[in-house]
Amino acid sequence: METEKYKLALQTELNQLNSEMKELGVKNPEVKGDWVERANDLDTVSADLNDVADRTEEYDERRATLATLEGRYNNIMHALKKIDDGSYGICEVSGETIEEDRLEANPAARTCKLHMNEG
Ligand SMILES: [Zn+2]
């Protein structure tokens, strides 16, 4: 297995995620691996209702996007940790080797194809 190649791919994706997440939120200083959406400068008293609705929607979207990115980020961190401890490329459900083409498509995959919906 070309672990180095996957490691590089994972680190590249991690860097991209990091900059995307910096646009959307800030790291939670209290919980490692957790990100909090940026505070809204929403003035609900003076803003008109449409404006409030728009910004609330924006805020919800941002929070949803951030949650997705956070999930990918933590998945990648998990994969990098597995590279370090030598368990990378092994299905977390069956303990079988994960197919190379699955890792090519998703270097952070935790399971083989058979168990991809269970991992
Ligand atoms: Zn499996």
Side-chain angles (χ1 to χ4, degrees):
M1 182 165 312
E2 296 173 79
T3 310
E4 279 304 311
K5 184 181 77 179
Y6 296 122
K7 188 172 182 179
L8 201 67
L10 287 164
Q11 281 166 340
T12 305
E13 196 179 344
L14 199 67
N15 285 336
Q16 283 168 356
L17 281 170
N18 238 324
S19 43
E20 282 179 53
M21 287 164 85
K22 262 189 226 153
E23 304 268 309
L24 292 163
V26 286
K27 267 182 180 159
N28 184 343
E30 277 148 39
V31 185
K32 198 169 173 280
D34 188 36
W35 289 66
V36 201
E37 56 280 354
R38 274 190 198 287
N40 233 353
D41 55 347
L42 189 57
D43 183 351
T44 46
V45 179
S46 63
D48 77 59
L49 279 176
N50 285 332
D51 201 30
V52 172
D54 281 355
R55 287 209 235 170
T56 305
E57 203 173 303
E58 237 172 68
Y59 178 77
D60 285 348
E61 264 171 41
R62 201 163 49 192
R63 189 168 50 186
T65 308
L66 191 61
T68 307
L69 295 176
E70 189 181 298
R72 277 166 60 198
Y73 184 92
N74 288 334
N75 233 4
I76 291 170
M77 290 304 286
H78 182 77
L80 287 169
K81 212 177 116 209
K82 292 208 297 186
I83 288 178
D84 279 345
D85 71 19
S87 64
Y88 181 74
I90 296 167
C91 173
E92 291 184 8
V93 176
S94 62
E96 303 273 341
T97 305
I98 300 174
E99 297 85 351
E100 289 275 337
D101 60 341
R102 173 143 164 75
L103 289 175
E104 292 274 355
N106 176 17
R110 292 178 173 210
T111 60
C112 68
K113 286 179 191 169
L114 195 63
H115 301 111
M116 61 193 291
N117 296 318
E118 295 174 38

